[in-house]
Amino acid sequence: MKQKNTAESSRLDDAARAGWLYYVAGNTQDEIARKLGVSRQSAQRLVSLAVSERLIKVRLDHPIARCMELSARMIERFGLQGCDVVPSDPDAPSSTIGIAHAAAAEMERHFNSQQPKIIAFGTGRTLRASVDQIPSMDCPQHRIASLLGNMMSDGSASAYNVIIRLADRINARHYPMPLPVFARSREELQLLHNQEAVHSILDLIRQADATFVGIGNMGPTAPLAMDGFVSLDEMRALENAGAVGEITSWVYDRDGNMIEGLTNDLVASAPLKPAGDKPVYGIAAGDGKVPAMLGALQGRLINCLITNEATAEQLLKF
């Protein structure tokens, strides 16, 4: 009987993987067959099984054993409140498709609360992808606030701010931060933070019931560099100072400690501090993000994580 149950569980795991690759990652049945090492006919049967067993809805609704095991190990290893590990696409281990769906599901869980909540958000590609997965909702009881502005010093805006887009989807009161990402001087930063509207938003963020942030890497491919917020010379100076990652433009080292000086002297974002009792979700995946994620975990800058199998396996090696 035990062997039969084990075989059935393994069969459903394979069906769930095939269903995820087909419905979430958009693979063809030929691609699924190659990735799972089965015939095309077997891949077709596994996708059909995922549907017949009701494993597939809009999102994957099956706790794949390996993902659940990695989640439990991550929670124990890093003292997390929660960790959602989604399947990895073998050909694209850095893909954010799966984690965007998982993050959207977690956000939706908070939005479904009838009790009024304050939810704070960072910016970035992964958060934007997550917001795009959220259905239209009516949540006037909630307030959503941005942890940082998205303006360059010349007034141009980043394409990855999520607050206004999210507010349109869920009909919630929203509070975008009316600031550039970096001030041009310490004096300007002081003036910006003395604005009454900014004071109100920072106070709202301090009361947040949940927070969702992306985790950025360092180097030429870092979001801060690619989006033009810091120059390559500034990025090299940050790396020389020991920087491994950033959250809401605050740059930190391998232990999660803030880098002294440099761009951190001019960050206009809400202060980045170790997470308390309220959930702070970090959403990231990919080999290039591992040092940044590890620093955020070591410094408890986040206390919940949404990532994929390949990334979780890398993190657990340290």
Side-chain angles (χ1 to χ4, degrees):
M1 180 64 72
K2 183 176 181 181
Q3 287 182 337
K4 182 178 179 180
N5 289 340
T6 301
E8 179 67 10
S9 177
S10 177
R11 180 166 158 269
L12 290 178
D13 282 354
D14 290 341
R17 285 183 185 277
W20 185 89
L21 287 168
Y22 187 78
Y23 288 102
V24 179
N27 286 252
T28 66
Q29 291 180 358
D30 285 331
E31 290 172 327
I32 295 168
R34 177 175 56 79
K35 291 177 181 181
L36 297 184
V38 299
S39 68
R40 188 182 187 281
Q41 290 75 16
S42 294
Q44 186 176 17
R45 284 194 294 270
L46 287 170
V47 172
S48 296
L49 179 62
V51 175
S52 65
E53 292 292 326
R54 300 184 182 276
L55 307 182
I56 295 295
K57 297 179 183 175
V58 176
R59 302 184 181 96
L60 188 62
D61 194 25
H62 177 80
I64 292 174
R66 178 60 176 161
C67 293
M68 297 298 287
E69 176 193 349
L70 288 169
S71 175
R73 290 174 60 194
M74 287 290 294
I75 290 170
E76 181 179 4
R77 166 70 175 79
F78 295 105
L80 296 171
Q81 288 186 12
C83 180
D84 194 348
V85 178
V86 305
S88 295
D89 183 336
D91 283 354
S94 298
S95 171
T96 60
I97 294 174
I99 62 173
H101 278 262
E106 192 62 31
M107 293 174 190
E108 193 175 336
R109 185 177 68 81
H110 287 282
F111 297 146
N112 279 330
S113 170
Q114 292 305 306
Q115 181 178 348
K117 287 191 174 187
I118 300 168
I119 306 174
F121 289 86
T123 64
R125 292 161 175 78
T126 306
L127 278 176
R128 173 67 180 268
S130 303
V131 166
D132 286 343
Q133 300 300 325
I134 294 174
S136 295
M137 304 176 69
D138 190 30
C139 308
Q141 73 274 29
H142 300 316
R143 289 176 286 176
I144 56 176
S146 179
L147 293 162
L148 71 166
N150 73 327
M151 290 188 297
M152 307 282 286
S153 57
D154 65 359
S156 60
S158 165
Y160 301 107
N161 189 281
V162 303
I163 285 293
I164 294 176
R165 188 176 185 86
L166 179 58
D168 286 341
R169 283 184 177 270
I170 68 169
N171 187 32
R173 287 175 290 173
H174 60 290
Y175 301 80
M177 187 78 79
L179 296 175
V181 174
F182 295 104
R184 288 172 292 192
S185 67
R186 293 185 182 183
E187 292 74 23
E188 182 182 68
L189 181 63
Q190 187 67 37
L191 288 172
L192 292 171
H193 276 190
N194 280 338
Q195 295 180 65
E196 184 176 348
V198 175
H199 270 298
S200 298
I201 294 171
L202 291 174
D203 185 56
L204 202 64
I205 289 167
R206 282 190 286 269
Q207 303 173 56
D209 297 291
T211 301
F212 291 85
V213 296
I215 300 174
N217 55 296
M218 293 288 101
T221 63
L224 284 178
M226 292 181 67
D227 293 343
F229 291 111
V230 303
S231 67
L232 291 179
D233 285 342
E234 288 173 318
M235 181 58 66
R236 279 191 288 269
L238 288 167
E239 290 184 285
N240 289 337
V244 300
E246 60 88 12
I247 293 176
T248 61
S249 302
W250 288 102
V251 180
Y252 54 85
D253 65 17
R254 59 185 296 178
D255 297 315
N257 299 314
M258 296 298 108
I259 297 295
E260 294 187 9
L262 301 175
T263 59
N264 275 355
D265 278 348
L266 302 176
V267 177
S269 312
L272 180 62
K273 299 177 180 179
D277 295 332
K278 303 287 183 65
V280 178
Y281 299 87
I283 308 166
D287 287 349
K289 294 284 186 81
V290 168
M293 296 171 70
L294 193 62
L297 290 165
Q298 300 281 34
R300 286 197 58 80
L301 301 176
I302 59 174
N303 55 23
C304 297
L305 180 65
I306 300 173
T307 191
N308 63 22
E309 283 179 282
T311 308
E313 287 169 349
Q314 289 295 315
L315 289 166
L316 288 166
K317 291 179 180 178
F318 293 91

